[in-house]
Amino acid sequence: MGYSDLDRPAQFLKGVGPKRADLLARLGLLTARDVLYHVPRRYEDASTVQKIGTLEPGTEATVVGRIVSKGVLPTRKGLRIFQAVVRDSSGLIECSWPGQPFLDRVLRKGDLLLLSGPVRFFHGRQLQPREYEILAREGEDISTEGGAVFPIYPATEGLSQRQVRKLIADNLDDLLPPAAEEEVLDPAMRAEARVPPLQDALRDLHRPHTLVEAEAGRRRLALEELFFLQLLHAIVHHQQTTQRPGIVFGRTDALVRPFYQSLPFALTEAQRRVLGEIGNDMGSPRRMNRLLQGDVGAGKTVVALFAMLRAVENGYQAALMAPTEILAEQHLRTLRKLVGELPVEVQLLTGRMSAAERRAALARIEDGTAQLLVGTHALIQERVRFHRLGLAVVDEQHRFGVRQRLALADMGETPDVLVMSATPIPRSLALTLYGDLDLSLLDERPPGRQPVRTALRYEKARSTVLDFIREQVAEGRQAYVVYPLVDESETLSLKSATEEYQRLSEEVFPELRLGIIHGQMPPDQKDQVMRGFAAGEIDILVSTTVIEVGIDVANASVMVIEHAERFGLSQLHQLRGRVGRGSAQSFCILLVSSPEAADRLRIFSSTEDGFRIAEADLQLRGQGDLFGERQSGLPAFRFADLEKDAGLLNVARVAARSLVDRDPHLSTYPELRQALERRYGERARLFQTG
Ligand code: ADP
Ligand code: MG
């Protein structure tokens, strides 16, 4: 077979006729290459297989043996049990599958089975397999080439996992050599990541001698996945930062210096470091395209204001875009306060402004009177014409799409772009999701903030918790009570939250003022409730889902989270961030239903470090679940695992950035470019025009 032979239809493989080909198509396997990359979903390691003769009742066991007899046994209660006696060199055991008489048609005498499940004592030793795999039929041998690891493949109806295994085993030796010609990772990168070449990796995946070998194979394919995505990011990064020249902001210090001197506090180490990174970007002809990650309260706004003032003192405008009206207004207040007496014109632009206000604002933006702009999506509408936009800051990046971020970046000339996020995520995830941005981390809190006291309580303690809310409200504080989003439609949680709201306001706290907010309310109504809460007109806010990100009600001191186990740790962290913003001691109380749930949440109650919590969340839930699919944009990796592969990711990132620096259009690497296009289609073609 030659190179392009991997593109041949799967039907040309040994043992595949038209009918087989249809079945393979059901698994999504159309070409020889598809079959080659159809890798096992897991392995059975027969080195852990036990001898049947040694099995003890009361233990879990994995065995390999042949069926010597079988049959269906009716019981008095009408339950039908499939039974088979299985033998290996050390002895016999009876295996029993209650309620599965159909297995009599699936399993045959002489089948070599891999079985695992509990061993019981029932008229003798009996295995109750939880899982079984047919390794071979009567007369067939399995070739393990001295190894003891059985690959278990995804299969489909009509094409068993055993048939898939045989098909691949029979064709593998023909498929590997042409695969070697498709190696696109250079030896230096592979050496650094310590992964084998492609051909070896594929062999290791399909025919491993040990689980360690199989893992080495996976890592090679994972590295390729990560590298390709990082290449794509590097190309976008190059386009955004280098292709179009950016603005060189000088150091006039006309505003930055007096601002620095006016601050009532010293900057944290992290703030200094990040300001250095931003300063380098702004002072260079490369455009800044940077993500600033930091927990709520880490001091991002102050950092952003330094950058904005630097733009303004160079004669440019700077804009800060927030995802909601309330947040925009909050930013406006903060900026006005921080700017103080400095000669800087601050201007708001949101959809709530009257037509006259809006007209005036647009005029001030266009003639350059307005220097610092704060607003919502209203800032990126077509009628907005900036006099001279030099810096675009986007708050809460994940609430906007990439398109909106780029829209602001395209306003005016080529403004520098600073994206802020208060959702700490593990570095590996940040590099994957936002790999086209440079990363800055504010991982230190300003001193002097009181930690939020976090407690885990079982649901039976609810009335004590409610009494506690009453006490806090009596002291003039406010509280949140949050219910989880149970399903996409939100109906279930909506019901529980509205019912609970009724009960709380009529029976439990008739003397207090309660409000409710949920995702199905129209935006103005939500806004109105949030404003009422912020103004202190509501004592207790019942909510179904996440309360507006970043909302700042300093007087709120209690956060009660019902069914806390249904939230991810990072979500809990966001919720907890709503309290502890004033001078009073704040509390976060998690109501849970079981000791297991409490265990899972212990790490959360022991730290307020958002990055540590995010790492723990990644470990607990895995990358797929970490963010709801819809908002994440996380690519579906087949091989890479962001939790395990952080090291590979770094290698991939550095290699991709340096390659694109040398050759932005990959013109000297046609095969790499081809492979990238094969993988990413349209997205990869983006850069050809650039
Ligand atoms: P973020 O935007 O990251 O949530 P902010 O910039 O709004 O955080 O800062 C939160 C609060 O901490 C503000 O009141 C701000 O003035 C204050 N702050 C920021 N940096 C420092 C610092 N280095 N020392 C003390 N207080 C600070
Ligand atoms: Mg620049």
Side-chain angles (χ1 to χ4, degrees), residues 99-110:
Q100 299 186 51
F102 61 88
L103 285 178
D104 199 31
R105 273 171 284 126
V106 179
L107 299 179
R108 302 186 207 148
K109 197 172 158 215

Side-chain angles (χ1 to χ4, degrees), residues 399-443:
R399 297 280 303 266
F400 293 106
V402 173
R403 210 168 330 127
Q404 285 158 316
R405 184 208 326 156
L406 295 177
L408 189 61
D410 276 341
M411 303 294 280
E413 301 173 50
T414 46
D416 275 10
V417 177
L418 179 66
V419 171
M420 303 199 289
S421 169
T423 310
I425 56 176
R427 183 181 149 78
S428 60
L429 201 58
L431 289 181
T432 300
L433 286 172
Y434 309 121
D436 59 322
L437 303 169
D438 294 305
L439 298 186
S440 283
L441 220 55
L442 271 186
D443 48 3

Side-chain angles (χ1 to χ4, degrees), residues 283-304:
S284 96
R286 282 175 29 144
R287 253 180 117 189
M288 173 161 70
N289 199 32
R290 185 169 286 282
L291 173 65
L292 171 56
Q293 272 197 293
D295 239 322
V296 168
K300 293 183 294 299
T301 315
V302 175
V303 167

Side-chain angles (χ1 to χ4, degrees), residues 554-601:
N555 191 48
S557 64
V558 187
M559 165 69 57
V560 174
I561 302 173
E562 295 263 1
H563 303 292
E565 67 270 17
R566 303 233 184 116
F567 290 91
L569 301 186
S570 299
Q571 255 180 315
L572 291 174
H573 179 67
Q574 287 292 320
L575 288 171
R576 181 169 56 185
R578 304 303 111 219
V579 295
R581 313 186 126 233
S583 49
Q585 173 65 57
S586 288
F587 304 87
C588 176
I589 303 165
L590 307 175
L591 287 168
V592 295
S593 48
S594 69
E596 297 78 54
D599 267 354
R600 200 174 64 87
L601 297 176

